[in-house]
Every structure is written in C-alpha cells, then in structure tokens.
Amino acid sequence: MLKNNKINLVIALLAAICLWAYVLGDDSSSYGGTMRNVPINYVNAEALEKAGLVVLDTPSESVNISYTGQRSLKNKVKAKDFKVTADLEGLKEGENTVKLMVEKPENVDIKSVSLQKVTVVVDKLAEEYKPVNVVITNQTSDDSEPYIVQVSREKVKVRGAETLVNSVTALNASVDAGKVGNTMKSLNIELVPVDRKGEVVDNVTLEFENVSITTIMHDKKTVTLNVPITGNQNTFVTREISVPKTITIKGTDELLSQIGSITCKPVDVSDIFEDTVINIEPLLPEGIEVATDSQHLQITVAVAGAATRDFTFTENDIVLEGVDEDIIPTVEDVTVKVSVSGNAEVIEQISEDDFRLYADVSGLDPGTHTVELKCICENKGLELEYNPSVIKVIIE
C-alpha cells in the first residue's frame, strides 16, 4: 500500500512539472503589465503659430498605460513601443480639452490609460524687444570692479506666449568679476530672461541667446551725491525727504581723480501726498559708471498732514459753454473720476459742490465732436487729477 502511494506521488509530481512546462511554453497564455511615464507628444504646434497662437501651459507630460499581451512578449515590450499624441491643430485661445490618441505595439491590448484627455492652455503669440541688463557676479574686491565698455546688443527680441513675454522685464547677462582683468577683454555671455522679481522666465525663445560684452577692471571711488529737490513749497503739507549722501562710481584713475561729486536729475515732489520711494538718476560723465553697491539709489518721502479723496461725476455734472441759440448740445454718457490731494483738514471738508466741470462747444457744427474737458476746484493749493480729459459732445 505504501509503495502504491509513493508511485502515485511521483506520478502527480511529474504531471505537475509537465503542466508547468506546458504553461511556460505556451505562447498563447497572457500576462498583464503597466508602462509608466510614457511621454505625451504634442503635435502640430506650427499650425497654432500660423494662427498667431502658442501653447502657454500643458500640465500633463506623461501617462501610465496598463496592458495585456502574450507571455512570450513580456520582456520585449518597451515604453518606446507606445506612442501617445495630443493634436494641437485647431485649438483656440484659452483652455482647450484635447483627447489623447494612443498607438500600441502588435499583440498587445490596452486595458486603461491614466489620462484620456489633457487640458491645454493657449495664448496669443507675442514678440517684444527687452533690454539687456548686465549683472556683475563674484565681486570680491572693495577697491575695483568690472567696467562695461560695450555690449553688442542693447535689446533682444523675446518670443513666446503673450503672458510670458509680458512678464519678462530684462535679459540678464552675468559677468563673472573673476574673469575680468586689467586689460580689455570680450566675453560671450548667455542671456537669461527674468521678471521684475529677478526670477527666470521659462518657455520663451530669444532672437539671440548670447551677447558679447567688452569689459575691463576699473577702480572705484565714493563721492558726494547731490540730489536737487523741487516742488516742496506746499504750506499745507509737510514732507520729510531722506536722500543718500554719497555714491560709489567706477572708471579709470585719471577720470576718477577729476570727480569730487555727482549730481542727479532734479526730483519733483509737488505731486506726492503719501509716503513714497523714488528712484534717482545720477548724471554721469562719459567713461564713468555707477558701481554695483550704489545701483538703484532711492530717496524716501514721508508725508504728514496730507490726504487724498476721490469723487465721481457723470455727464449731467458737465457744463457746456459757448452754446449758440440754434443748437442743442448733448454730452454722451461718461463717468469722470476726480482725485484731489492736499492738507488733510481741507480735504475732509471738500464736497462735490466745490468742483466745476465744463467744456467749450463754441463754433461747433452739427455732428459728434471730441471736446476737451476741464475740471477746477474752488479751494486753492490743492492738487487735482481727473480722467478722462476729453468727452464726446453731440451737436443737433
């Protein structure tokens, strides 16, 4: 009996081995798998450009594909055998939903794709020239600094989505101070588009990727800075103005020895009625530049006793002067915004009755005319701004 059991066990084991070998050798048996990070190919971008459009954003760059296939192909199927396509032709400005097309290798069936559609944001295609801004880096010396003799291009055309192009404020060209010597040298510098915060703006193209910058190491000198201030005679407002006293400049020893002070363009503060920071512009002799540590000099204006109020008027508040007896003038619908600034106590007591809005229509023929709008305030010593400055008048 025991002998029969052993024989049966051996037979069962042999049968199992044969079955296992059959399954492995059977090409018709299937298996499942997932191909991850299959890239999405965005095609027909040139068709968008012909329509004056460009892709601003494609948040999805790849998909995962689950599939089944014959076991014999298990180690032969690669990610490159799948092709995922998003067709950009015919898209409109704004958000677009695009269906993904998937191509698969033979003898493979797709079970699922992680994304069936993608959202593509399309923007207007724009081109605009942006200024080249030279930035000195790795500046370690307190006595000298690279002097920029010449830049091959002052502006370079930036091309791309309008939103991105508008965000570019400058193309930075970084000059490494460690590569500048006492003899004149030309450096080929890469341009980097940046926004107003100095952060890099990607996905735009430049007409020229590099500029040639001629530079030489020059000495630095700190001199007195003169900042002329005008318009600070308003008796109703007190302005405390803080200005930098010195400026550091760079140039040749010969030129620096002749300079004891630098004067800025006059700064008019008559229209300033709130705390403000103002950039100042030094007037530099030829061959002299502002050193890095004195760039972007500013003055601060602290205002006391001042206030600003806004008023709104309509066409019914506008008086037409010079009206002949045989014409009927009408002002088209308009909203006039008036802003008045001055002494806080005076501003607080002002009302709409203190303003006079008028336009001269004398000598106008029948038809529609654009006429200058004038606005005055009965209170003197106040600053007045209003918009619009013209109105449309219909003469009948």
Side-chain angles (χ1 to χ4, degrees):
M1 185 72 174
L2 182 59
K3 183 176 180 180
N4 290 336
N5 288 339
K6 289 182 177 180
I7 292 174
N8 291 336
L9 181 61
V10 171
I11 292 173
L13 180 60
L14 290 174
I17 293 173
C18 292
L19 180 61
W20 176 69
Y22 170 78
V23 171
L24 287 181
D26 185 7
D27 286 345
S28 63
S29 62
S30 63
Y31 78 101
T34 300
M35 198 64 67
R36 300 187 180 278
N37 300 321
V38 179
I40 300 174
N41 299 303
Y42 292 90
V43 299
N44 287 326
E46 63 279 2
L48 278 182
E49 291 194 13
K50 289 181 180 179
L53 301 172
V54 67
V55 173
L56 174 63
D57 186 29
T58 54
S60 303
E61 299 295 334
S62 63
V63 297
N64 299 329
I65 300 176
S66 297
Y67 64 95
T68 59
Q70 293 181 355
R71 188 171 296 277
S72 61
L73 301 174
K74 182 176 182 180
N75 297 321
K76 297 179 180 179
V77 178
K78 307 295 182 184
K80 64 180 181 180
D81 298 327
F82 295 89
K83 186 176 181 181
V84 182
T85 303
D87 193 348
L88 304 177
E89 187 172 7
L91 300 189
K92 304 298 182 183
E93 184 179 351
E95 289 190 356
N96 298 263
T97 301
V98 181
K99 184 179 180 180
L100 296 179
M101 306 299 294
V102 181
E103 296 181 18
K104 62 181 183 63
E106 294 182 3
N107 301 321
V108 167
D109 295 321
I110 295 177
K111 292 174 59 179
S112 64
V113 181
S114 59
L115 288 175
Q116 301 293 327
K117 301 175 181 179
V118 292
T119 299
V120 179
V121 181
V122 175
D123 197 2
K124 293 178 181 177
L125 181 63
E127 292 182 346
E128 187 175 342
Y129 283 93
K130 301 292 182 176
V132 174
N133 177 43
V134 179
V135 180
I136 307 298
T137 62
N138 297 327
Q139 175 63 33
T140 58
S141 173
D142 294 330
D143 302 321
S144 61
E145 184 176 298
Y147 173 83
I148 306 304
V149 179
Q150 186 179 25
V151 181
S152 61
R153 301 180 187 279
E154 294 183 357
K155 294 184 177 182
V156 171
K157 186 188 297 182
V158 179
R159 190 171 190 265
E162 185 177 52
T163 301
L164 298 178
V165 172
N166 289 342
S167 71
V168 176
T169 57
L171 305 174
N172 280 356
S174 299
V175 174
D176 186 345
K179 296 181 179 180
V180 181
N182 295 323
T183 58
M184 200 172 297
K185 180 190 296 185
S186 292
L187 303 174
N188 191 39
I189 307 296
E190 180 184 5
L191 293 175
V192 179
V194 296
D195 60 18
R196 61 183 180 85
K197 295 181 180 180
E199 297 179 353
V200 177
V201 179
D202 294 318
N203 300 321
V204 294
T205 59
L206 308 183
E207 183 183 12
F208 299 97
E209 298 290 336
N210 300 74
V211 292
S212 176
I213 298 179
T214 304
T215 182
I216 187 174
M217 191 64 74
H218 272 180
D219 292 332
K220 298 195 296 183
K221 181 181 180 180
T222 300
V223 298
T224 302
L225 180 65
N226 301 317
V227 185
I229 304 294
T230 63
N232 196 22
Q233 293 79 35
N234 194 314
T235 58
F236 298 104
V237 178
T238 301
R239 301 184 182 95
E240 294 184 3
I241 304 172
S242 176
V243 302
K245 304 299 183 182
T246 61
I247 183 173
T248 302
I249 55 177
K250 58 187 177 182
T252 63
D253 289 340
E254 181 181 358
L255 289 175
L256 291 177
S257 64
Q258 302 172 17
I259 300 174
S261 65
I262 293 293
T263 300
C264 294
K265 282 187 174 181
V267 178
D268 185 2
V269 298
S270 60
D271 293 335
I272 297 177
F273 294 93
E274 58 185 4
D275 294 351
T276 307
V277 176
I278 304 174
N279 295 324
I280 57 179
E281 185 178 345
L283 301 173
L284 301 173
E286 186 175 354
I288 295 296
E289 287 185 353
V290 177
T292 301
D293 45 5
S294 284
Q295 290 184 353
H296 311 299
L297 292 176
Q298 298 175 322
I299 68 171
T300 58
V301 182
V303 181
T308 299
R309 283 185 65 187
D310 296 325
F311 296 86
T312 301
F313 300 90
T314 68
E315 66 279 358
N316 297 323
D317 301 306
I318 301 173
V319 177
L320 298 180
E321 297 183 345
V323 179
D324 294 334
E325 294 182 357
D326 56 345
I327 67 170
I328 303 175
T330 305
V331 179
E332 282 195 356
D333 293 350
V334 65
T335 299
V336 182
K337 296 185 179 298
V338 178
S339 178
V340 61
S341 302
N343 179 268
E345 294 182 1
V346 176
I347 293 294
E348 186 177 353
Q349 299 175 7
I350 287 181
S351 68
E352 287 82 358
D353 296 335
D354 294 312
F355 297 90
R356 181 168 178 264
L357 285 76
Y358 64 98
D360 186 2
V361 297
S362 58
L364 296 183
D365 297 324
T368 301
H369 304 269
T370 299
V371 181
E372 180 183 4
L373 174 66
K374 295 182 180 180
C375 177
I376 59 174
C377 181
E378 298 300 332
N379 289 279
K380 306 298 183 181
L382 301 179
E383 296 293 335
L384 189 68
E385 293 183 0
Y386 59 94
N387 185 58
S389 60
V390 294
I391 58 174
K392 286 189 177 182
V393 178
I394 302 172
I395 303 295
E396 297 179 358

